[in-house]
Amino acid sequence: MADTEAGTTVREYRTEELAEAAGIPVRTLRFYRERRLLPPPRREGRIAWYDDHHLARLRTIAALLERGHTLGGIAELTAAFENGRDVSQLGELLGIGWSEETPVRLTPEALADYFEGEATPENLAAALDLGYLATDGDAIVHVSRRLLDVSSALVREGVPLSAVLETGRRVREHADAMAALFAELIAEHLPDEEAVARLRPLTKGVVEAELSLAMDRLLAAARPSGPAQEPSS
């Protein structure tokens, strides 16, 4: 354990302990360090001390490798978002259909301004995995102005970006299920091939109204009940 300036303690690992926690061989850990995929460890004499940030980075690397990213691409991605430089070589723009959402082109610096202190490689990897972010030439593209504004507003209110992204992942599961439900309903009763697209505003209205009513019920249930009224004589 090590003390921080704020007086809290953080978990620290020796090289072998970090490798074991990440489920990788020590030689792989050292290779990642040589490739600068990991921030430098804290040195105490000849002992290298790592912390949970290093462990999170290793888990992110493993997740990106599973999704088909190369180590070179991961290194460029990490450097771009730690140093704010060009991301043009990180990959092709994701095949995202913009639909009614307005995409936003950003520099790494602009993205960091939206999420001050939260634009970490780990959060970036999660956003890429969700399809919220993609790269296009020398720019970063966010899939939706609305999602960008809402996410940054939640972070400004004090919600960690990692929690916002995880909630977005869970919301997407429900949204996909609702979209499939409406598509099945419309296809069953309307043979028109364009019916789903034509009736899309109606399905959005149902979802928005139901969500609003659900929030009303949630808030009403959370309100403290008033004192019981004495029966009148």
Side-chain angles (χ1 to χ4, degrees):
M1 298 288 182
D3 293 329
T4 65
E5 293 181 1
T8 58
T9 58
V10 295
R11 171 78 183 274
E12 288 196 312
Y13 309 81
R14 292 174 182 263
T15 301
E16 295 77 8
E17 294 170 337
L18 180 66
E20 181 179 359
I24 60 175
V26 170
R27 64 178 180 276
T28 300
L29 171 58
R30 289 175 174 152
F31 176 72
Y32 288 166
R33 191 174 67 189
E34 291 169 1
R35 293 289 299 272
R36 298 186 178 179
L37 292 169
L38 290 176
R42 183 178 71 83
R43 290 285 180 178
E44 191 175 277
R46 300 184 63 181
I47 302 176
W49 290 102
Y50 300 88
D51 57 27
D52 284 330
H53 176 74
H54 295 93
L55 179 58
R57 177 72 63 83
L58 288 172
R59 288 172 175 165
T60 298
I61 292 170
L64 290 173
L65 288 172
E66 288 179 0
R67 296 173 197 133
H69 293 267
T70 65
L71 285 176
I74 295 170
E76 290 291 331
L77 185 66
T78 298
F81 276 80
E82 288 184 341
N83 304 319
R85 59 186 180 82
D86 186 5
V87 293
S88 60
Q89 302 301 317
L90 300 185
E92 299 177 354
L93 180 65
L94 296 177
I96 301 170
W98 302 124
S99 186
E100 296 178 355
E101 296 304 312
T102 302
V104 185
R105 295 172 67 86
L106 302 161
T107 64
E109 296 91 341
L111 184 64
D113 288 342
Y114 269 94
F115 304 104
E116 185 174 355
E118 295 278 331
T120 64
E122 292 75 24
N123 285 335
L124 173 62
L128 285 166
D129 185 39
L130 274 169
Y132 285 174
L133 294 181
T135 59
D136 183 19
D138 60 355
I140 299 162
V141 180
H142 195 289
V143 67
S144 167
R145 164 66 70 183
R146 288 194 292 181
L147 284 174
L148 176 63
D149 290 343
V150 170
S151 298
S152 62
L154 286 169
V155 170
R156 288 195 300 271
E157 289 289 337
V159 182
L161 181 56
S162 58
V164 172
L165 293 171
E166 177 56 29
T167 299
R169 187 186 303 278
R170 295 169 62 188
V171 167
R172 174 169 295 180
E173 294 175 359
H174 295 289
D176 286 344
M178 286 188 291
L181 179 65
F182 280 113
E184 181 181 350
L185 172 70
I186 294 170
E188 181 180 354
H189 297 281
L190 298 174
D192 180 4
E193 293 183 357
E194 302 297 325
V196 173
R198 188 177 74 252
L199 299 180
R200 178 174 179 165
L202 300 182
T203 64
K204 287 173 55 181
V206 172
V207 173
E208 290 174 0
E210 284 289 356
L211 180 58
S212 179
L213 290 170
M215 292 299 296
D216 288 343
R217 293 191 294 270
L218 183 67
L219 293 172
R223 291 193 197 102
S225 57
Q229 295 287 335
E230 293 289 338
S232 58
S233 57

